[in-house]
Amino acid sequence: MNNERRVRVRFAPSPTGALHIGGVRTALYNYLFARQHGGDFILRIEDTDSQRFVPGAEDYIMQSLKWCGISIDEGINEGGPHAPYRQSERRDIYLKYALQLVQNGNAYYAFDSAEDLNKLREQAEANGQTFSYDAKVRNSLQTSLNLSEDEVNERINRGDQWVIRFKMPENENVEMDDLIRGHISINTQTLDDKVLYKSADKLPTYHLANIVDDHLMEISHVIRGEEWLPSLPLHYLLYRAFGWESTRPQFAHLPLLLKPQGQGKLSKRDGDKFGFPVFPLEWHPEDGQVAMGYREAGYLPEAFINMLALLGWNPGTEQEIFTMDDLISAFSLEHVSKSGARFNPEKAKWFNQQWLRTTDDKKLAEMIKPLHEAMGINASVERTAEAIALMKDRATFVQDYASLTERMFKRPDSYDEKSVNKFWKVDNVSKLRELRDLLAGESQIVPETTEPKVMDWIKENGYQMGQLMNTLRTAIWGISNGPSIFHICAFIGKEESLARIDQAIATLGEGK
Ligand code: GLU
């Protein structure tokens, strides 16, 4: 029935804190689906629960999506034909719909106070039961199903607080379809009468606002986390109660992200517990500890997105590296799994390593510039990019390039003890002096010509190549391993190379 509709999806976070990576994945799958179908990706802020509102969360969500490369077609900043996109700014819309359901017999007023409800809960508990506001009790409580119309009006007019509750049909099987989970059937016996609207704050609850907005915003597909699956029967029934079944969106409930070890959902606290980020960007709560972010930990957004996309979706092939464009063409809800996806922090690092290899060196140079500056290095982007090229494949995180290239710009201020013990010998140092003279005779150091010349010279003299090269390396680089020594010497230049040899001899002496 929905096949011909324009694809319109929404990411509908509640600004209750930092956006967890599970939330980013939901946004990503929505985005991929929208782009693949030439549809619209909408950001709607669901902030009707004023008590859970966290300042800064909304901004955090938008910054995170931006960093990930997820662009928004309609949203709180972008505007659009269905503005406003922040539910607290749409509060005037919802009452009318709640009342429509009261009028057509699908909802009712309830006047029970919080204390009344607490008492009922306590009583039930005392009898070993749990209280549920449902068909069994609604006719005997303070509801418009039970009170006369006059009494209801009187209470409303005198300013009593009320809520509107959905009147859950009794003993009916709700037949639902999910694009990932297939057909689902639930009997309403297990469901209670959810609050849809509260007079106290003149705000709808999640369920009402979500359905009304999805309808008004012409949402074609609802792609969201598995934790919303239990709400699906109510949502189906709300579409029916409003008479909107013919345009009801299709639903897809995504699998949970699981902890790296053992069972259970990956939680916001797991990051600190296990030492890996669970948020895209660093999060600074008003009170409490700063939480790590992928960006600050040195992940590239491309790697982060690539890793997230494969948590719960597979392309059906062996391919692992995907750009956003690749993902847009390869993604499909049919290949999203029903079972939870275990988060693997090691694999996340692997994706980052892969992406660091293919990322433009100039871009990386820009990224590490502040770190270099803090180290007292003020090299140009071009020069840093050249240094990065020599260290390619050695980094796991962006910032690794700052330390990996440090000695391209600064003389060693210490020498690795193991290397010194192994290679800084009288014999090696005297040969290093000879090599210094040879290098000094070159007009400049060029790996392609200098290296063969040095090799020939070593052979002619019957010197041991490994010993001498490692001694040179220790002098120039401070440690006997690292990238090609001739490339380093070429990069730092002849004069600097000679100066580093002199400094090493002055510091370490003539060898043991
Ligand atoms: N506001 C809900 C959330 O925080 C949205 C659920 C939905 O997509 O329907 O996840």
Side-chain angles (χ1 to χ4, degrees):
M1 104 187 121
N2 291 316
N3 289 348
E4 302 305 319
R5 289 176 87 179
R6 177 173 179 78
V7 166
R8 286 176 57 78
V9 295
R10 84 299 192 276
F11 177 51
S14 299
T16 55
L19 183 61
H20 175 262
I21 54 175
V24 183
R25 190 197 56 177
T26 301
L28 175 65
Y29 285 5
N30 273 284
Y31 175 76
L32 297 176
F33 190 78
R35 290 288 169 269
Q36 183 175 71
H37 292 91
D40 306 313
F41 175 74
I42 294 148
L43 174 70
R44 182 172 74 222
I45 296 292
E46 300 207 327
D47 59 348
T48 55
D49 189 349
S50 46
Q51 288 177 358
R52 294 185 62 217
F53 179 81
V54 172
E58 201 178 89
D59 203 43
Y60 180 93
I61 291 166
M62 288 183 297
Q63 295 295 334
S64 301
L65 297 184
K66 193 166 171 215
W67 181 68
C68 293
I70 297 176
S71 59
I72 301 162
D73 299 313
E74 295 170 29
I76 53 174
N77 284 347
E78 297 71 15
H82 300 285
Y85 290 88
R86 192 184 278 115
Q87 287 185 329
S88 59
E89 290 169 20
R90 300 169 65 78
R91 54 171 80 218
D92 296 343
I93 296 176
Y94 307 109
L95 179 59
K96 168 177 125 199
Y97 288 100
L99 293 177
Q100 186 182 323
L101 295 187
V102 175
Q103 269 135 32
N104 70 17
N106 282 294
Y108 58 89
Y109 286 101
F111 296 94
D112 321 274
S113 66
E115 297 84 68
D116 296 336
L117 293 174
N118 274 340
K119 239 182 248 155
L120 290 165
R121 270 187 215 111
E122 279 164 23
Q123 273 168 17
E125 263 169 44
N127 298 327
Q129 287 160 344
T130 19
F131 174 71
S132 173
Y133 209 116
D134 57 18
K136 289 193 290 300
V137 299
R138 66 188 170 214
N139 293 315
S140 54
L141 294 174
Q142 302 172 59
T143 69
S144 57
L145 303 172
N146 196 23
L147 305 168
S148 73
E149 207 179 318
D150 286 349
E151 207 171 341
V152 169
N153 288 335
E154 196 192 310
R155 282 189 173 218
I156 293 173
N157 292 338
R158 74 172 181 228
D160 279 8
Q161 288 198 352
W162 47 266
V163 297
I164 291 176
R165 285 183 183 268
F166 184 69
K167 190 175 168 209
M168 186 56 73
E170 282 180 74
N171 195 14
E172 179 188 330
N173 285 332
V174 187
E175 305 297 334
M176 300 160 283
D177 289 298
D178 183 281
L179 291 167
I180 296 169
R181 282 147 216 279
H183 188 76
I184 306 169
S185 175
I186 290 282
N187 190 282
T188 54
Q189 292 294 68
T190 56
L191 306 173
D192 61 352
D193 290 359
K194 287 273 182 273
V195 172
L196 301 177
Y197 191 92
K198 299 171 281 150
S199 72
D201 53 11
K202 296 198 175 59
L203 278 173
T205 59
Y206 156 72
H207 301 292
L208 180 72
N210 189 271
I211 270 42
V212 167
D213 284 347
D214 282 350
H215 172 73
L216 296 178
M217 295 180 181
E218 301 176 81
I219 299 302
S220 65
H221 296 78
V222 169
I223 303 168
R224 62 184 174 190
E226 185 182 301
E227 62 272 30
W228 301 104
L229 196 55
S231 302
L232 191 59
L234 171 62
H235 293 182
Y236 257 67
L237 292 168
L238 280 169
Y239 280 103
R240 184 174 79 186
F242 281 120
W244 297 337
E245 274 179 308
S246 64
T247 54
R248 181 184 61 222
Q250 291 183 269
F251 289 89
H253 288 86
L254 306 174
L256 292 176
L257 290 191
L258 305 175
K259 292 184 198 303
Q261 308 92 353
Q263 292 297 310
K265 190 175 159 183
L266 183 69
S267 85
K268 294 196 172 188
R269 285 169 302 280
D270 286 342
D272 292 327
K273 218 153 96 197
F274 301 116
F276 58 80
V278 290
F279 299 116
L281 314 180
E282 209 166 74
W283 168 244
H284 298 254
E286 282 202 331
D287 44 358
Q289 240 185 309
V290 175
M292 283 182 274
Y294 276 85
R295 181 180 63 186
E296 292 74 10
Y299 284 83
L300 294 166
E302 293 85 351
F304 175 65
I305 283 302
N306 193 162
M307 176 270 301
L308 264 191
L310 288 161
L311 280 176
W313 167 78
N314 72 79
T317 65
E318 295 293 302
Q319 187 179 344
E320 288 196 284
I321 301 299
F322 289 86
T323 62
M324 188 69 103
D325 283 343
D326 295 339
L327 289 170
I328 290 170
S329 41
F331 183 75
S332 74
L333 286 172
E334 291 77 55
H335 277 131
V336 172
S337 70
K338 291 193 201 41
S339 51
R342 195 172 301 288
F343 175 69
N344 180 347
E346 290 310 313
K347 192 77 195 206
K349 285 187 199 162
W350 180 85
F351 277 111
N352 209 42
Q353 286 166 335
Q354 304 306 309
W355 272 96
L356 282 172
R357 287 184 185 174
T358 53
T359 301
D360 180 57
D361 296 331
K362 280 204 184 132
K363 193 169 155 192
L364 294 168
E366 299 276 7
M367 293 172 95
I368 62 163
K369 203 171 174 41
L371 296 170
H372 264 177
E373 279 167 8
M375 292 169 152
I377 298 168
N378 285 302
S380 68
V381 166
E382 287 71 24
R383 191 94 177 114
T384 308
E386 269 178 61
I388 289 172
L390 293 175
M391 300 313 259
K392 215 65 195 204
D393 297 358
R394 289 170 194 261
T396 302
F397 301 111
V398 173
Q399 63 269 29
D400 291 348
Y401 283 122
S403 43
L404 282 168
T405 56
E406 184 181 5
R407 287 190 174 169
M408 300 280 194
F409 301 102
K410 283 164 93 179
R411 289 189 193 162
D413 51 9
S414 66
Y415 296 88
D416 174 59
E417 216 181 290
K418 268 199 193 147
S419 311
V420 172
N421 287 338
K422 208 160 163 203
F423 300 109
W424 209 259
K425 309 233 170 85
V426 175
D427 202 30
N428 285 344
V429 177
S430 84
K431 286 169 190 154
L432 180 64
R433 282 188 184 280
E434 290 176 36
L435 178 56
R436 185 201 185 282
D437 292 343
L438 188 146
L439 295 176
E442 294 285 289
S443 58
Q444 56 173 324
I445 298 177
V446 180
E448 290 71 26
T449 52
T450 312
E451 185 168 1
K453 198 181 241 178
V454 172
M455 294 303 137
D456 287 348
W457 171 80
I458 289 177
K459 260 187 235 148
E460 275 162 29
N461 288 288
Y463 293 163
Q464 267 185 288
M465 194 177 59
Q467 288 290 322
L468 186 49
M469 284 299 104
N470 281 316
T471 311
L472 176 66
R473 218 184 255 286
T474 305
I476 302 277
W477 199 240
I479 183 162
S480 62
N481 55 37
S484 148
I485 189 64
F486 290 98
H487 283 87
I488 297 173
C489 291
F491 180 85
I492 63 178
K494 180 178 119 180
E495 292 314 321
E496 175 64 14
S497 302
L498 300 180
R500 287 192 186 193
I501 295 173
D502 295 343
Q503 175 188 289
I505 295 174
T507 312
L508 300 170
E510 299 297 330
K512 281 185 282 187

